[in-house]
């Protein structure tokens, strides 16, 4: 049997995520090193590993919310290996339609057993099959009563940044206050503060700028200005989060 035949793609992905989440490894560095190690794999297999790792890490907040909705044991109290296996599996169920739900559940159970968590195979299987049956009917936080929580889960961003995202297009001074609070509470080198800084540099106080500059030049026809600005703002925010997560 060749080395290639022995490679478990999901196990490779899990070990990368473990290194990133548990040992604070940089995603792009750990992933690159792993792909070099398994460079003999087919292009599709390497792509599967990359998508699964990057997608799981990018959507982690949403994935953890979904798991907590169906698990009696909260994500924060789960073993690191089990939590990562569940996160990877839920990502496949929700965002990788080409992978059958039965295969996702079976491979997750096998991986848990292989990592010496055989006693939790029933837990893994039960949670995942329950999620698989309800994956299209996930109840997210109420947008009208808990906007910050809704944005955090729906777009998989820390809840502390949700208020920043809402404030940024409206008020530069308001976002500066939030940025200072993040720096004081979490530290200037924290992911939250770095993300907020990059967001601030890659976006503009859209509504204020439109009102001031268009008003100063007496421009009245601005039909496409705000929609285009909102699209640019969303792209800037999304890229900021992705870059801060992988770099």
């Amino acid at each position: 049997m060749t080395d290639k035949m022995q490679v478990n793609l999901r196990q490779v992905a899990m070990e990368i995520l473990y290194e990133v989440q548990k040992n604070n490894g940089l995603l792009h560095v750990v992933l690159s090193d792993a792909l070099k190690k398994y460079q003999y794999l087919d292009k599709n297999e390497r792509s599967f590993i990359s998508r699964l790792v990057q997608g799981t890490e990018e959507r982690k907040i949403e994935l953890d919310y979904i798991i907590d909705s169906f698990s009696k044991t909260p994500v924060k109290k789960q073993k690191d290996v089990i939590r990562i296996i569940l996160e990877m599996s839920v990502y496949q169920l929700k965002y990788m339609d080409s992978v059958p739900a039965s295969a996702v559940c079976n491979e997750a159970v096998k991986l848990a057993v292989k990592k010496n968590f055989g006693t939790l195979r029933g837990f893994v299987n039960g949670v995942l099959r329950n999620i698989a049956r309800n994956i299209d009917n996930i109840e997210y936080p109420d947008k009208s009563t808990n906007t910050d929580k809704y944005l955090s889960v729906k777009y998989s961003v820390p809840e502390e940044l949700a208020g920043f995202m809402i404030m940024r297009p409206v008020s530069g001074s308001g976002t500066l206050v939030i940025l200072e609070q993040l720096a004081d509470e979490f530290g200037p080198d924290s992911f939250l503060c770095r993300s907020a800084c990059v967001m601030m540099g890659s976006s503009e106080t859209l509504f204020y700028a439109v009102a001031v500059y268009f008003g100063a030049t007496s421009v009245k026809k601005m039909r496409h200005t705000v929609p285009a600005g909102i699209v640019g703002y969303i792209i800037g925010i999304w890229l900021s989060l992705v870059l801060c997560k992988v770099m």
Side-chain angles (χ1 to χ4, degrees), residues 137-152:
N137 300 299
I138 303 298
E139 292 187 8
Y140 289 91
D142 191 289
K143 182 164 50 175
S144 60
T145 59
N146 197 345
T147 305
D148 285 1
K149 182 68 174 177
Y150 172 82
L151 290 173
S152 173

Side-chain angles (χ1 to χ4, degrees), residues 115-133:
K115 301 303 288 186
N116 299 316
F117 288 98
T119 56
L120 294 175
R121 73 179 79 180
F123 169 76
V124 170
N125 186 61
V127 170
L128 289 179
R129 291 195 182 278
N130 196 7
I131 292 175
R133 287 192 295 268

Side-chain angles (χ1 to χ4, degrees), residues 204-246:
E204 182 55 87
T205 50
L206 174 63
F207 299 108
Y208 173 80
V210 169
V212 171
Y213 297 131
F214 277 61
T217 56
S218 300
V219 175
K220 297 181 179 180
K221 295 181 179 180
M222 57 178 73
R223 184 177 59 175
H224 301 298
T225 303
V226 173
I230 292 174
V231 171
Y233 173 75
I234 292 173
I235 293 174
I237 293 298
W238 178 77
L239 286 175
S240 299
L241 287 169
V242 171
L243 289 173
C244 288
K245 283 186 177 182
V246 302

Side-chain angles (χ1 to χ4, degrees), residues 43-87:
K43 181 180 179 180
N44 289 340
E45 293 174 321
R46 289 158 54 84
S47 296
F48 178 85
I49 293 172
S50 295
R51 182 181 176 189
L52 182 54
V53 168
Q54 293 172 332
T56 299
E57 188 63 17
E58 288 174 9
R59 306 300 304 180
K60 187 178 187 308
I61 293 175
E62 180 190 24
L63 301 176
D64 286 346
Y65 173 84
I66 293 174
I67 294 169
D68 277 341
S69 299
F70 293 90
S71 171
K72 293 182 179 179
T73 303
V75 165
K76 292 182 178 180
K77 293 185 178 181
Q78 293 172 8
K79 300 290 186 181
D80 294 316
V81 169
I82 295 300
R83 184 194 71 248
I84 293 172
I85 290 175
L86 290 176
E87 289 171 346

